[in-house]
Amino acid sequence: MMRIATLFDFNGVLIDDERVHLEAFREVVAPLGITVSDEDYAERYLGFDDAGAFHAILKDHGRDPTADEVARLIAAKKPVYMKRIATELVIFDGASDIVRRRAEKGVVGIVSGAMRDEIEHALSAMGVRDQIRFIVSAEDTTECKPHPEGYLLGVRALGFEKGVVVVEDSLAGVAAAKHAGLRCAGVAHSYPEDRLRAAGADVVATRIAELTDAMLDP
C-alpha cells in the first residue's frame, strides 16, 4: 500500500495573515525611511521568509544589507507580528478540516518560511497541532522559496517522496515544490489560478475548502 503524505505551506494556505506580515514589515522598516506598497509586497516579497524579504526590501531601496542588519530586523518584526496576530488571526474556511482529513490518510507536515513560534501559535488556535507530524520553519533552512531546501528537508523527515503532495499559494512556493520533484496543488488565495498553473501547479483550486482528496492523492 502506497504511503501518503501532505506537506502544507502555512501563510496564505491555512491562515490568512499576509496583511499582518505586510504591516509588520512596514512598521519595522519605516524608521529606515522605507515604504512597502501592497503591489511590491505581492509581486516581490510574498513567498519569501523574513530573511529573504528583508534582504530584498533593503536591496530594492539601494542598501547593501548585512547579515547582522537582517537579523536585527527579523528580531524586531517578531513581537510586532505576534502582537497583531493575537487579535487579527484569520483561518481560511476548511483549513482545519483538510488538515484533519489528510492526517487520517497519511503523514501531515508543515513546510513554511514562517518562524516556528508563529506556526505553533496558529496551529494551536486551529486545533490541529496534534495532527502535524513535523514542522520545517524558517529557522531550519538557509535558503527561502523558490529554493527547494525546505521541501527537501520535508522529504528527508518523511523518509519517502513517492505519494507526497504539497499545498501552496505562492508562485515561489509552487516553484520550490516542483524543484524538489514533488507534486503540487495550488490554492488561489494569493495569486490567480492561471499564474499558479503557469508556475507549475499540477492541480489548482480557488480556495483550500475546494481541494478534494481526489485532487490531492497520487
Side-chain angles (χ1 to χ4, degrees), residues 43-63:
E43 293 300 322
R44 292 278 298 135
Y45 313 126
L46 194 154
F48 283 167
D49 61 14
D50 283 358
F54 278 124
H55 190 274
I57 290 168
L58 293 175
K59 289 281 286 186
D60 287 350
H61 288 82
R63 302 172 72 98

Side-chain angles (χ1 to χ4, degrees), residues 9-15 17-18 21 81 112-114 118 169 190:
D9 177 43
F10 196 66
N11 312 98
V13 169
L14 299 179
I15 66 168
D17 69 341
E18 293 299 353
H21 275 289
Y81 173 91
S112 171
E118 299 170 7
D169 72 303
S190 305

